Amino acid sequence: TVFHVNHEFGLIKNGKVQKRGRINLIGRLQLSTEKAREEENEGIIQLRILRTQEAIRKILKMRKCISNAQLQTELVDILKNMFLPSKKLIKEQIEWLIENKYMKRDEADLNTFIYIA
């Protein structure tokens, strides 16, 4: 690696070139911590999604047939020690499980779910 000195570099303050000055490098560190925090949040969200799917399947295995309201109540009871799942998260995971053939809606009552073994 070869380094070169930039002799034309100068700090400008109030429109004048300064002979001495400070360069703040902390701003760059904050950017990297924000990226790390963002990646960590994505990991947490993925883990919550998997935990929600796991809990839904566990409830359905026990009950075989369950209403939407009862499923959401039991799901919150199971997951409340780890996190409080939002209604949106629950709905998305139920739809994902239906699409991937883990469960289906009852044809007679659309608010009832049936576990597919």
Side-chain angles (χ1 to χ4, degrees):
T1 305
V2 178
F3 293 100
H4 298 282
V5 177
N6 184 358
H7 294 287
E8 296 174 12
F9 178 79
L11 294 174
I12 299 173
K13 189 173 184 183
N14 298 329
K16 296 180 182 178
V17 177
Q18 302 290 314
K19 291 182 181 178
R20 296 173 56 168
R22 290 186 179 177
I23 300 173
N24 189 0
L25 297 176
I26 295 175
R28 294 235 181 242
L29 294 174
Q30 287 174 345
L31 283 175
S32 63
T33 57
E34 286 176 14
K35 288 179 185 175
R37 189 178 304 132
E38 226 174 77
E39 290 173 4
E40 190 175 300
N41 286 346
E42 286 179 19
I44 291 170
I45 290 169
Q46 285 300 101
L47 184 64
R48 287 181 176 186
I49 287 171
L50 292 174
R51 293 278 188 238
T52 306
Q53 290 175 3
E54 177 185 18
I56 292 171
R57 281 184 272 170
K58 184 177 179 182
I59 293 166
L60 283 168
K61 268 187 177 179
M62 287 189 300
R63 302 272 187 260
K64 301 292 183 201
C65 183
I66 192 168
S67 70
N68 186 28
Q70 191 177 3
L71 176 64
Q72 288 191 8
T73 304
E74 287 190 35
L75 192 59
V76 169
D77 276 349
I78 288 174
L79 297 176
K80 69 183 176 189
N81 294 334
M82 293 180 265
F83 66 97
L84 191 63
S86 66
K87 299 275 186 193
K88 181 183 174 191
L89 176 68
I90 295 171
K91 185 177 180 180
E92 287 174 353
Q93 298 319 308
I94 287 173
E95 292 302 320
W96 187 89
L97 289 168
I98 289 171
E99 286 174 12
N100 289 293
K101 307 279 192 252
Y102 286 99
M103 58 193 267
K104 65 178 181 178
R105 291 186 187 271
D106 189 12
E107 279 118 34
D109 183 15
L110 292 177
N111 284 332
T112 304
F113 301 109
I114 300 170
Y115 178 70
I116 301 172

